[in-house]
């Protein structure tokens, strides 16, 4: 029996996926076009739907600690992992999505 430690980025994506699924279950079609701030440290979120990315950013302590997800449905787990990793890589490189109303679409990144 191996005691392999779980991949923290996979765990982050799993947690974020659970939060997005729960939000979609709770709010249904009201999620469409709304924004969610997902913590890059652990995949948690404040379970709030925001009208704009600008609003989602405003309610976070630091913009670069979150990925901002534009809700158009619950993505696949691997799409969400790639999306979170890409956002983290941008921030680590000193970059960000300059326009607060812009977003990366996880489906177009694969």
């Amino acid at each position: 029996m191996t005691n392999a430690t779980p991949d923290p980025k996979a765990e982050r994506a799993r947690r974020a996926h659970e939060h997005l699924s729960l939000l979609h279950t709770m709010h249904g079609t009201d999620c469409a076009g709304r924004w969610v701030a997902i913590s890059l440290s652990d995949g948690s979120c404040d379970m709030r739907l925001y009208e704009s990315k600008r609003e989602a950013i405003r309610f976070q302590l630091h913009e670069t600690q979150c990925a901002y997800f534009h809700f158009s449905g619950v993505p696949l787990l691997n799409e969400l992992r790639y999306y979170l990793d890409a956002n983290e890589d941008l921030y680590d490189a000193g970059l960000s999505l300059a326009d607060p109303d812009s977003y990366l679409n996880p489906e177009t990144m694969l």
Side-chain angles (χ1 to χ4, degrees):
M1 183 172 184
T2 61
N3 291 333
T5 57
D7 177 7
K9 290 186 177 186
E11 286 298 308
R12 171 180 71 183
R14 182 194 56 75
R15 185 174 292 113
H17 190 267
E18 287 175 357
H19 286 293
L20 293 176
S21 296
L22 181 58
L23 278 168
H24 189 262
T25 299
M26 290 170 32
H27 299 285
T29 57
D30 289 341
C31 291
R34 310 284 286 283
W35 292 84
V36 177
I38 301 170
S39 170
L40 290 173
S41 65
D42 63 1
S44 63
C45 75
D46 57 10
M47 297 301 286
R48 291 187 58 186
L49 295 171
Y50 297 98
E51 292 297 322
S52 67
K53 182 178 179 185
R54 187 180 309 272
E55 181 183 351
I57 291 169
R58 194 177 78 220
F59 282 93
Q60 308 312 308
L61 290 176
H62 300 286
E63 176 181 353
T64 58
Q65 291 179 343
C66 294
Y68 302 93
F69 180 77
H70 187 253
F71 227 120
S72 59
V74 179
L76 297 174
L77 182 58
N78 65 335
E79 291 173 331
L80 188 55
R81 164 125 190 225
Y82 191 75
Y83 179 73
L84 295 173
D85 290 351
N87 275 267
E88 184 176 45
D89 291 344
L90 280 172
Y91 293 144
D92 287 348
L95 304 170
S96 68
L97 298 172
D99 179 2
D101 298 319
S102 67
Y103 67 96
L104 294 172
N105 183 343
E107 295 171 352
T108 63
M109 296 172 63
L110 296 177

